[in-house]
Amino acid sequence: MNYLISVRFHDRKKELRLRPYLQNLLAERRCSLTLAEIEGRHFFWFQFPPGREEEIRKKVGWAVARYICDQIEPDLINWMIRRYDPFRSHEEVGRIRREVFRQLKSSAWEYKKSVYADRREKLAEQVEWYLRENCRLAVDGYVRFRMKGHFRVLASCVKEAVASYRLDQEYKEFIRLLRQFVQLQVPKVPLIHVVHQADGGFRLLLADGRTLPQKELNEWGYEGWETPFSNEDYILGALLTAVPERVVVHTEQRHENVIRTLLQIFKGRIMLCDGCSRCKPAVKWGEDA
């Protein structure tokens, strides 16, 4: 019994990497492996004793699946990233590619009504089924014509990763511009306490414990400052209007997005309180006299 595996001669180093994948898996199986180059293709021809077809098919399936995921997928993902977002640098493409692989590792893969946690396992099963009816496998042709569903998933992951990276870059630019704005403004108040309340709202207090007066916020044009703030837009708008010289944040939820955003925008003039009466939900602080 024999199988003939081939791949198009395009990148000699990359195509020759298929050889160790096959050798490593077949070395202990008493199989002979022969390598040849004919008319622009690399051929891997190996023979094995009768009665071991199922075992060998599984091993060949795993070898080809690993080769596809390790050697072909990265180049294809890079090409997809360039197609969806052509103006990214080499470093940025690398970051997006890492996010794509993270998504691939967390994805579920289906083949013949079975679900696989690892795409290599699914591809190995797919190649094994192909070899049940075929003794010849052209890897590049198989990838192009028999893995369209697999690459639709790849394309979806790439689109999501590109969109996520764009949002992250826009957020960073947003933070940079706001930080620059704060640095260029003259502080209107020396100190503001940002008190994060148990219900998720916020209160802005002056140094003497009074709620930040509405008259200091007329330029922002928001009414209803007597009630606690309820979202990031409100708290940011108020602080950007007051432009305090120093900001002290009192919160037990330091990893919330709004807190992290404040720490970035007011970097150099903001600090987190280590614990005081303002941080305790039970204490009613900041009521106007």
Side-chain angles (χ1 to χ4, degrees):
M1 187 66 182
N2 64 79
Y3 285 124
L4 184 64
I5 311 297
S6 68
V7 64
R8 183 170 60 91
F9 185 92
H10 177 66
D11 182 339
R12 180 180 176 84
K13 290 183 179 180
K14 180 161 291 189
E15 268 65 53
L16 286 177
R17 289 173 188 167
L18 179 57
R19 182 174 185 176
Y21 284 95
L22 295 170
Q23 284 181 323
N24 291 340
L25 293 173
L26 301 176
E28 302 176 1
R29 307 297 172 180
R30 296 197 299 266
C31 299
S32 62
L33 175 63
T34 304
L35 172 66
E37 297 179 13
I38 304 174
E39 297 182 352
R41 296 191 69 83
H42 292 297
F43 289 88
F44 303 87
W45 181 49
F46 52 96
Q47 297 175 293
F48 52 89
R52 304 181 64 189
E53 290 85 354
E54 184 175 354
E55 176 188 7
I56 298 301
R57 277 198 304 268
K58 288 184 179 294
K59 297 299 178 182
V60 174
W62 266 107
V64 173
R66 289 183 57 206
Y67 173 76
I68 290 172
C69 292
D70 296 347
Q71 304 298 330
I72 296 179
E73 268 190 359
D75 287 344
L76 183 60
I77 289 171
N78 285 347
W79 176 81
M80 288 181 176
I81 294 172
R82 292 292 187 189
R83 179 185 177 189
Y84 295 132
D85 202 345
F87 302 108
R88 296 298 175 187
S89 67
H90 178 75
E91 291 75 15
E92 289 177 312
V93 170
R95 296 190 196 104
I96 297 172
R97 184 177 63 245
R98 286 192 290 273
E99 172 59 20
V100 172
F101 281 123
R102 187 195 66 77
Q103 293 183 27
L104 291 176
K105 288 181 180 179
S106 62
S107 300
W109 301 82
E110 184 178 357
Y111 179 68
K112 288 189 177 295
K113 298 183 179 181
S114 297
V115 178
Y116 303 88
D118 188 336
R119 69 190 187 284
R120 292 177 177 82
E121 185 180 1
K122 175 257 185 184
L123 282 176
E125 183 73 10
Q126 192 174 336
V127 172
E128 180 190 347
W129 273 93
Y130 176 84
L131 292 175
R132 290 174 185 265
E133 300 177 356
N134 302 273
C135 294
R136 299 182 179 182
L137 172 63
V139 176
D140 48 313
Y142 186 86
V143 168
R144 183 170 184 176
F145 297 108
R146 292 180 176 267
M147 291 181 57
K148 293 181 179 180
H150 181 91
F151 291 126
R152 279 195 294 270
V153 176
L154 279 188
S156 177
C157 290
V158 169
K159 286 183 179 179
E160 186 175 337
V162 168
S164 176
Y165 186 79
R166 286 175 178 171
L167 286 176
D168 181 65
Q169 293 302 107
E170 290 171 2
Y171 174 77
K172 289 179 179 177
E173 178 64 11
F174 169 73
I175 295 297
R176 186 189 70 80
L177 291 174
L178 289 183
R179 184 185 299 166
Q180 187 178 54
F181 170 81
V182 169
Q183 292 172 348
L184 294 175
Q185 301 304 304
V186 177
K188 297 180 177 65
V189 291
L191 172 65
I192 286 183
H193 294 279
V194 179
V195 182
H196 196 180
Q197 301 185 140
D199 62 359
F202 291 89
R203 290 188 69 86
L204 299 184
L205 310 177
L206 296 175
D208 58 7
R210 291 182 299 108
T211 299
L212 182 63
Q214 183 177 350
K215 64 180 182 180
E216 298 291 341
L217 303 167
N218 287 336
E219 291 183 10
W220 192 37
Y222 178 77
E223 298 180 358
W225 295 100
E226 299 303 321
T227 58
F229 300 118
S230 58
N231 61 50
E232 185 172 342
D233 291 337
Y234 295 159
I235 195 73
L236 278 178
L239 289 174
L240 290 172
T241 300
V243 194
E245 191 172 347
R246 289 188 299 133
V247 180
V248 179
V249 179
H250 306 267
T251 181
E252 295 181 351
Q253 302 172 13
R254 301 188 176 198
H255 299 294
E256 279 203 7
N257 287 335
V258 61
I259 303 301
R260 293 168 56 190
T261 299
L262 291 178
L263 291 173
Q264 294 179 74
I265 293 175
F266 293 93
K267 185 177 181 180
R269 64 174 72 190
I270 189 170
M271 63 171 290
L272 288 169
C273 179
D274 291 330
C276 68
S277 60
R278 297 180 181 87
C279 299
K280 299 177 181 180
V283 176
K284 295 183 178 180
W285 178 269
E287 298 293 335
D288 290 335

